[in-house]
Each structure stands twice: as C-alpha cells, then as structure tokens.
Amino acid sequence: MTRPLRLAVVGLGAISPYYLAAARRLPGWELTAVCDARAEALERVPGPVARFRDHRALLYRARPDALVVSVPNDVHLPLCRDALAAGVPVCVEKPLALTAAEGRVLVDLARRADVPLMTAFHRRYNAAVRTLARRTAGREIVSVRVRYLERIEEHLGGEDWYLDPARCGGGCVADNGPNALDLVRLLLGDLTVTGCAIRRDGHGVDRQAVIGLRGGAATASVELDWSYPGECKDLEVELAGGEVLRADMLDGHSGFKASLWHEYEAVLTEFAALVRGRVPAGPGAHGGLAALELVEAAYRCARPASGTIARPAAEAIARPAAQPSAAEVDR
C-alpha cells in the first residue's frame, strides 16, 4: 500500500484552515509540519505536528514530500523558490507570484528542477463549476460571464495585507482576478484582454473592475467587486443556439465560505496526483503564469495613454451589481 504523502503548510492565515482540514480528511496525505512567523498561530494548530517559525528550517528538518504555500502574495516568490530549489513540490495559493516576471522565475525553476508547481485555483474545483464544464464540453460557446463579488473586509480574517497594494499586487484584480480569469480559461482556453475598467479607493486599492476578454470566437467578461453588500460568485455561459447555463458557486453550501471545504479537498486530491506523477505535472499547472499575464494585461488596458476607458467596460462597472441568480446548473 502506498504510504501517505507528508505535507507541510506554510502560512496559517485565513485560507489555511481549509488546507489543514482537507489534509486530515484525505487518506493520501499526512499533515506533518506547519510554519508561521506568529507563535500564536502555531499554537492554534491541533495535533502532533512539527511547528516552525522559519520555512527554511522546516524544509531542512521536516523534509516534507510536498508543501502548501499560503502566505501573503508578496512572499510567494522567495518561499516557493526555496522549496523548489530543495526539490519539494509546491501548491501555492493564487496568484502564483506578485508579478508575471516573478511567476516566470518560478515556472523556469520548476521546469529545470523537474519539480511539480501547482497554483491553487480552488474555484475550478467547485461542484457547480465542474458540472457546467462537463455540460459545455465540446459545444460552441458564444460568451462567458463570471461574477466575483464580495465585501473584502468580511473576508480578511485578520489578514490586512489584502488592503496593501504593495503586498497584494493591487486589489480585486490582482487577488480575486486570477480565480475568475481561470474559470474563463477553463472553458475557453487561451485568452486575450480586450478592455478593462477599474475603480480604486483613496489608498490605490482596486475596489471594482470589469475585464473584457476574447477566447477564440467567444467573448467573456469578468466582474470583480470588493465593496459588494454580501457575496456573489457565479458563472454564466451562452451557447450557440441561445441556451444559457449557470453555475452558482455558493448554492448548496450553507454558512460563510462553506463552499471552500469541498474545493480545497479537491485541490489537495489533484496535488497528490501531481506529486505522485499520476497526471501531467507541467510547471505552472493550471495556468498560474497565464493568469498573472492576464492580470497585468488588464492593468495595462485600464491605463491607456489617453486616459479614457472603453465605453462597454465603463458602462458595465457603473451599473449596480446584479443580485445573485437562484438558478444553478442541474446536478
């Protein structure tokens, strides 16, 4: 019988509970070590696991089979680089890195070291999204619309770095954008940014954005909002012939952020397959670098030399966000 893989988790912030719970539930993993600079965060982790204040000490002493990186965005590069250089497979929270240039460094290192590097786009593992993806497979898609709307202050979990553009990378485009853009890539493949409108607050944080995209003959839009009263995460696909399919990522999951439990369980299931070599382990698995490049293209598009914004995107962001649809893809 194949022994469980020894997993270490670095970064015990708002997202780590989902990884820790999934690692304990899945038979293919054994949680062996955690790391955080904060002693109080380490003390909150139950069970007989090794605890470290420095990730380099963890890599040297715990010698895990794989590493989850769940730290602020600006620390992804050095931490992932150290793990890959040590030959340890990495599953890193989105975004892969703070910039596309940093992402290329990590992808190149993973390729040269032949070590799996996976970006955890957890929304592609959502049950409703997977059902929609199956129903659209092989069919002609006319358009895709993704809405990713929330009030960010309700989701911080004490992690104020989200509201620091230097650490987050910008705001909703840099942090939520990769998840939403990955959903479009899941359905359409390679994408081109065709327009973008962004509204920022007085601190330079993106609070709202609409990104226009094209994938082959299909068009797409991604709507992001960090000032939305409540939460709405959904996906709408129009097929040739006029049929419209929808996936509500929150439907059927009662409780705040309850949908994340099954999504992160699926993330670690696929990560285990990558580590064991059971599925192709191309560097930057699931398009971590591609998402960063789309994010940077969106930022460039939102700052044209003329200072104007393409009218369709500007009008879209000016409209009040629609209420979530109760409809969902049939299971």
Side-chain angles (χ1 to χ4, degrees):
M1 181 179 296
T2 304
R3 68 166 178 83
L5 295 165
R6 293 170 294 130
L7 182 69
V9 176
V10 180
L12 299 176
I15 296 300
S16 65
Y18 305 99
Y19 281 113
L20 298 177
R24 290 188 167 107
R25 285 196 300 266
L26 295 170
W29 291 106
E30 177 188 1
L31 181 66
T32 59
V34 293
C35 178
D36 198 285
R38 301 163 297 183
E40 63 275 16
L42 293 171
E43 293 169 0
R44 288 195 296 267
V45 179
V49 298
R51 293 166 172 80
F52 296 89
R53 300 283 293 273
D54 183 279
H55 72 276
R56 290 173 293 268
L58 181 152
L59 291 169
Y60 178 74
R61 292 167 53 191
R63 299 191 179 276
D65 294 314
L67 188 73
V68 161
V69 173
S70 179
V71 296
N73 298 348
D74 61 320
V75 195
H76 286 192
L77 173 64
L79 208 155
C80 292
R81 184 171 54 197
D82 288 347
L84 293 170
V88 178
V90 172
C91 174
V92 58
E93 265 298 292
K94 55 76 192 166
L96 170 61
L98 202 61
T99 67
E102 291 183 356
R104 292 186 195 101
V105 169
L106 294 177
V107 168
D108 183 61
L109 177 57
R111 181 183 295 115
R112 287 187 284 107
D114 193 25
V115 177
L117 169 63
M118 174 180 173
T119 302
F121 292 121
H122 62 95
R123 289 302 184 186
R124 67 163 43 216
Y125 300 96
N126 180 273
V129 169
R130 285 184 157 184
T131 299
L132 184 145
R134 286 194 299 269
R135 293 187 64 188
T136 58
R139 304 176 70 180
E140 182 181 351
I141 296 176
V142 174
S143 66
V144 176
R145 179 196 189 197
V146 177
R147 295 190 300 173
Y148 217 91
L149 320 175
E150 63 189 18
R151 181 165 178 79
I152 186 59
E153 285 79 4
E154 297 174 355
H155 293 255
L156 295 178
E159 304 293 303
D160 291 342
W161 61 265
Y162 284 98
L163 298 177
D164 181 347
R167 302 195 69 193
C168 173
C172 65
V173 175
D175 194 76
N176 281 0
N179 250 341
L181 291 164
D182 179 68
L183 293 178
V184 183
R185 292 188 74 251
L186 177 68
L187 299 173
L188 300 182
D190 292 339
L191 301 172
T192 301
V193 174
T194 59
C196 181
I198 299 175
R199 282 184 175 170
R200 298 180 174 89
D201 64 18
H203 302 284
V205 176
D206 320 333
R207 297 296 303 201
Q208 297 170 307
V210 175
I211 305 170
L213 303 137
R214 180 170 289 278
T219 60
S221 66
V222 165
E223 301 175 23
L224 307 168
D225 194 340
W226 269 8
S227 299
Y228 184 77
E231 186 176 12
C232 171
K233 309 285 173 64
D234 63 12
L235 176 59
E236 179 180 282
V237 176
E238 180 183 357
L239 300 171
E243 183 180 5
V244 176
L245 302 176
R246 296 182 177 87
D248 182 345
M249 291 173 257
L250 306 181
D251 188 60
H253 303 284
S254 59
F256 183 63
K257 300 173 80 74
S259 62
L260 272 62
W261 300 109
H262 84 286
E263 293 169 359
Y264 278 97
E265 197 166 296
V267 167
L268 282 192
T269 296
E270 182 148 328
F271 186 39
L274 285 170
V275 174
R276 294 190 187 278
R278 293 173 180 166
V279 296
H286 295 164
L289 179 56
L292 281 174
E293 291 172 341
L294 288 170
V295 164
E296 291 195 354
Y299 279 129
R300 288 194 302 270
C301 194
R303 294 193 295 268
S306 64
T308 60
I309 296 174
R311 183 171 296 276
E315 290 179 346
I317 201 167
R319 293 195 301 268
Q323 292 299 312
S325 170
E328 184 191 19
V329 175
D330 293 335
R331 304 205 178 218

